[in-house]
Amino acid sequence: MSTNARIGIENADGSITTSYHHWDGYPAGLGFNLVKNWADPELLAGAVALGDASHWADTIGEQIEFDQFPRSDAYYAQNVYYNRDRSESWDNVKPIVYNTYEVFEKSFLRRTPCGEDYAYVLRLDGTWTQINQYHKEVKHDAEDSIRTEKARMQRLIDQEAA
């Protein structure tokens, strides 16, 4: 089972460009990755522009032959996109653009395009907004709460390993 998410970036005109993310979309997973590695708007815009993805790492990377390397080091070392790496139809996996942040938030809270649990949007002011679909919760300036959740999860993992 996966935790699906939607990654978005607010554009200069106020629109929001988003793409789907399939694996580990919870705050301590994808949320932390975004806060740690994807706060540069140009880098994030380039990554989102490649469309829906199986998973994101800390780099966009280059095309891989998905069928030859599923779950390999190459798979985990970079973002894996449905179109670029899996040859899925661009029409089915291209980014979705919303006219405004408010339209995106309302749409996401009402019904997500692909059943996503979370959404993360890098806003023009450089802050991350996190939306939780199930709890109908919106956290503006969510970086601290994402980092706190990552630390909490790491403590639990460390306790289990001890």
Side-chain angles (χ1 to χ4, degrees), residues 35 120 127-130 139-147:
V35 165
Y120 305 94
T127 62
W128 286 98
T129 294
Q130 173 191 310
K139 292 182 181 177
H140 298 284
D141 203 3
E143 184 174 335
D144 286 343
S145 68
I146 289 169
R147 288 184 184 279

Side-chain angles (χ1 to χ4, degrees), residues 32-103:
F32 184 74
N33 180 19
L34 292 171
V35 165
K36 182 179 177 191
N37 299 305
W38 296 95
D40 178 318
E42 287 184 36
L43 183 64
L44 182 67
V48 169
L50 288 171
D52 297 350
S54 179
H55 93 100
W56 278 32
D58 60 0
T59 183
I60 292 172
E62 297 183 15
Q63 182 179 9
I64 63 170
E65 295 297 327
F66 182 80
D67 291 336
Q68 294 177 8
F69 301 105
R71 309 300 190 267
S72 68
D73 289 342
Y75 178 91
Y76 289 108
Q78 66 178 40
N79 297 359
V80 178
Y81 294 96
Y82 291 137
N83 176 261
R84 181 189 73 181
D85 302 314
R86 294 175 50 165
S87 301
E88 293 188 23
S89 169
W90 180 245
D91 288 339
N92 296 334
V93 299
K94 64 185 175 186
I96 298 172
V97 179
Y98 296 83
N99 289 337
T100 65
Y101 171 80
E102 291 74 18
V103 169

